[in-house]
């Protein structure tokens, strides 16, 4: 499905028409994948639109940029404000927000330093990432034949465009074989993450997720789920997870801004638990959606009202 157009895109400090937000084909980013970006959701609440963990997403954008020696020519507060302005201008309540900073048009060659850094914020309506029924029924996934990024090659703590070439291999392979998504292992063979999601498993009432040592993006939904799980009294452990422990887990689920909390019903055609959303996953979904949709107390100050 093509992106549902909204009216305006924030482009280097100005709001321009959706169709006018263009760059040159010889921009550095087109050739070398030199972008850092974020993805977050704005939710509709009884008190109006609310961005989920806006500040944390903006901070991660600057972290990604720092790793790649990229100076973003705006202050964090300016970009946070620009996100809110862009949502307001487009008159959207619930939407997905994509801020991206990239190396633009200047010289061509691997060294990005001569190219300007450009910043764009786009917002649009985005439905459920892994299909409309995924949050309830769960998805069928495979273990990818591709590994996630090896440490000391592409830093996984940075959310950068180039990392998504690896994600594309994982995703296309999964789709070609009829699965909704792939789970990649790290280069030591332990569970890492999906092409665009972190992963959790539940066994005997305890929750586990791979640590940042397993080449995962430090997901903001991952962090939120850990906080919510602990506040519900679950013990959450981050540690290396062998592939086969997923098969024998009681529940497995993905987390991500786009994927939210999506249960995994089967892996490699092995049924996980009851083969449907499990009780812990459901409790976490209820806690999560309670906060983001404004029905529960926002104890962690996660919402920024538009
Ligand atoms: N790992 C990867 C590789 C990843 O891309 C995401 C987000 C996550 C984990 C979860 O991170 P967080 O959103 O902070 O909880 N993937 C984004 C992009 C998806 C896309 O298709 O584009 C997202 O969910 O917005």
């Amino acid at each position: 499905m093509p992106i549902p157009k909204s009216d305006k895109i924030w482009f280097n400090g100005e709001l321009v028409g959706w169709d006018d937000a263009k760059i040159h084909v010889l921009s550095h980013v087109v050739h070398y994948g030199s972008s850092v970006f974020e993805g977050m959701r704005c939710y509709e609440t009884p008190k109006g639109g609310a961005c989920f963990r806006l500040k944390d997403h903006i901070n991660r954008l600057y972290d990604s940029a720092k790793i790649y020696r990229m100076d973003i020519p705006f202050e964090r507060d300016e970009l946070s404000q620009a996100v809110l302005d862009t949502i307001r201008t487009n008159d959207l309540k619930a939407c997905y927000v994509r801020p991206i900073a990239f190396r633009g048009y200047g010289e061509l060659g691997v060294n990005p330093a001569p190219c300007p850094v450009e910043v764009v914020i786009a917002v649009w309506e985005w439905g459920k990432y892994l299909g409309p029924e995924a949050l309830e029924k769960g998805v069928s996934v495979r273990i990818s034949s591709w590994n996630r990024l090896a440490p000391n090659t592409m830093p996984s703590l940075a959310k950068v465009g180039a990392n998504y070439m690896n994600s594309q291999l994982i995703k296309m392979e999964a789709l070609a074989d009829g699965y909704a998504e792939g789970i990649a292992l790290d280069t030591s063979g332990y569970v890492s993450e999906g092409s665009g999601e972190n992963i959790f498993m539940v066994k005997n009432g305890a929750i586990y997720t791979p640590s940042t040592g397993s080449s995962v993006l430090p997901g903001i939904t991952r962090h939120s789920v850990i906080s919510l799980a602990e506040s519900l009294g679950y013990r959450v452990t981050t540690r290396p997870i062998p592939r086969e422990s997923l098969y024998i887990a009681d529940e497995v689920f993905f987390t991500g801004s786009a994927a939210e909390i999506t249960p995994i019903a089967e892996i490699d055609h092995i049924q996980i638990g009851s083969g449907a959303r499990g009780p812990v996953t459901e409790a976490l979904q209820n806690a999560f959606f309670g906060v983001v949709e404004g029905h529960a107390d926002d104890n962690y100050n996660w919402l920024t009202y538009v």
Side-chain angles (χ1 to χ4, degrees):
M1 200 186 66
I3 313 174
K5 284 188 192 182
S6 26
D7 193 24
K8 298 269 198 263
I9 288 179
W10 189 94
F11 202 137
N12 291 329
E14 277 169 61
L15 288 160
V16 303
W18 180 277
D19 292 324
D20 300 321
K22 293 184 175 151
I23 60 167
H24 198 279
V25 291
L26 296 181
S27 297
H28 196 274
V29 61
V30 177
H31 299 255
Y32 307 113
S34 33
S35 68
V36 304
F37 70 100
E38 275 306 317
M40 70 187 115
R41 281 187 190 264
C42 174
Y43 287 91
E44 189 168 357
T45 80
K47 288 194 271 171
C51 269
F52 183 61
R53 303 197 66 172
L54 172 60
K55 199 164 168 238
D56 300 298
H57 281 282
I58 295 294
N59 282 338
R60 191 173 62 185
L61 182 75
Y62 281 80
D63 284 348
S64 301
K66 184 173 187 183
I67 292 168
Y68 279 90
R69 302 172 190 265
M70 179 191 278
D71 288 320
I72 296 179
F74 295 93
E75 298 300 323
R76 289 168 203 238
D77 286 350
E78 282 180 285
L79 286 196
S80 298
Q81 199 51 52
V83 165
L84 300 173
D85 290 345
T86 310
I87 298 169
R88 269 187 224 119
T89 302
N90 286 294
D91 206 16
L92 290 171
K93 286 182 188 72
C95 60
Y96 186 75
V97 183
R98 170 57 55 84
I100 182 163
F102 57 90
R103 310 278 193 177
Y105 176 83
E107 285 178 26
L108 218 48
V110 172
N111 176 22
C115 300
V117 175
E118 311 213 50
V119 186
V120 168
I121 301 166
V123 300
W124 65 87
E125 283 180 58
W126 208 5
K128 297 302 173 195
Y129 191 57
L130 296 172
E133 294 183 328
L135 292 190
E136 214 183 300
K137 296 221 165 106
V139 288
S140 172
V141 307
R142 64 166 286 171
I143 302 290
S144 184
S145 70
W146 295 101
N147 285 138
R148 209 71 182 110
L149 312 158
N152 222 11
T153 59
M154 308 279 286
S156 69
L157 301 194
K159 188 170 172 71
V160 305
N163 288 0
Y164 287 82
M165 291 303 276
N166 174 257
S167 290
Q168 287 174 52
L169 291 170
I170 296 163
K171 186 76 180 186
M172 290 189 294
E173 179 189 60
L175 294 178
D177 289 348
Y179 298 94
E181 181 57 286
I183 298 167
L185 307 179
D186 66 20
T187 50
S188 301
Y190 292 103
V191 175
S192 179
E193 60 179 351
S195 73
E197 313 88 354
N198 292 115
I199 191 167
F200 285 77
M201 57 166 270
V202 183
K203 183 77 176 176
N204 299 326
I207 301 175
Y208 303 88
T209 192
S211 67
T212 47
S214 283
S215 300
V216 305
L217 181 75
I220 289 166
T221 321
R222 171 181 179 273
H223 180 266
S224 310
V225 163
I226 292 172
S227 303
L228 292 171
E230 287 174 344
S231 75
L232 292 174
Y234 294 105
R235 194 155 55 88
V236 185
T237 308
T238 57
R239 63 158 172 79
I241 295 183
R243 166 184 184 158
E244 66 277 19
S245 60
L246 296 181
Y247 297 144
I248 56 175
D250 301 323
E251 303 177 35
V252 181
F253 58 88
F254 281 134
T255 65
S257 300
E260 298 167 314
I261 300 174
T262 300
I264 294 175
E266 52 173 39
I267 302 173
D268 299 334
H269 296 306
I270 298 174
Q271 179 178 307
I272 305 306
S274 65
R277 174 175 59 190
V280 179
T281 309
E282 190 171 358
L284 290 167
Q285 283 182 338
N286 289 340
F288 177 81
F289 286 110
V291 174
V292 299
E293 289 171 357
H295 306 302
D297 289 340
D298 179 16
N299 293 327
Y300 300 97
N301 263 318
W302 281 340
L303 301 185
T304 305
Y305 286 93
V306 177

